[in-house]
Amino acid sequence: MKNLLVKTIANAGALWVAIWLLKDITLTGDNTGRKAITLILVALVFGLVNVVVKPVVKLLAFPLFILTLGLITLVINALMLLLTSWLAGKFDLTFHVEGFGTAVIGALIISIVSWALHVVLPDDKD
């Protein structure tokens, strides 16, 4: 349970940095509290997408991993961010990613920030 909380906080922090840096990734809301709740919910959706969908896509794209020496990971991460944006729209969460190029840059930012936060935040594996 603690591990899920740590991963959700790391995802929320990484998503916030991407929203802050890129004007085409938006999170709107009436007030700061509403935005924070929406960000946590989007982080949960993003985590769920990465746990359920991403492994299947990586398995199906395995030949492309070999062919591109792993660079297809950037495309897959961008697609997971776009899927999160689409699902957020279906759940009436005010999170939106505008375009594939923005998704690639956003996914790169999220990956770097998420990695850094996982290094800093405590983990159950100790």
Side-chain angles (χ1 to χ4, degrees):
M1 185 66 177
K2 182 179 175 184
N3 199 22
L4 174 68
L5 182 64
V6 168
K7 286 182 185 278
T8 302
I9 290 170
N11 280 339
L15 285 165
W16 178 80
V17 170
I19 292 165
W20 181 60
L21 289 175
L22 301 173
K23 67 176 178 68
D24 288 336
I25 299 179
T26 57
L27 177 76
T28 56
D30 298 337
N31 54 36
T32 305
R34 178 78 61 191
K35 285 183 183 179
I37 291 170
T38 302
L39 184 62
I40 295 295
L41 292 174
V42 169
L44 285 170
V45 170
F46 186 65
L48 189 63
V49 164
N50 282 328
V51 167
V52 176
V53 178
K54 191 174 182 179
V56 175
V57 173
K58 285 176 104 175
L59 180 66
L60 294 174
F62 183 71
L64 292 174
F65 275 98
I66 295 169
L67 187 64
T68 64
L69 301 175
L71 290 176
I72 192 71
T73 304
L74 290 172
V75 173
I76 291 173
N77 288 345
L79 292 173
M80 296 305 109
L81 187 58
L82 286 171
L83 179 60
T84 301
S85 175
W86 180 76
L87 287 172
K90 294 295 180 188
F91 291 121
D92 287 331
L93 299 173
T94 56
F95 173 77
H96 184 67
V97 178
E98 186 66 38
F100 183 74
T102 301
V104 170
I105 296 168
L108 187 60
I109 291 169
I110 290 168
S111 295
I112 292 168
V113 173
S114 181
W115 169 80
L117 288 174
H118 278 101
V119 168
V120 174
L121 292 173
D123 197 0
D124 276 346
K125 295 178 184 172
D126 294 338

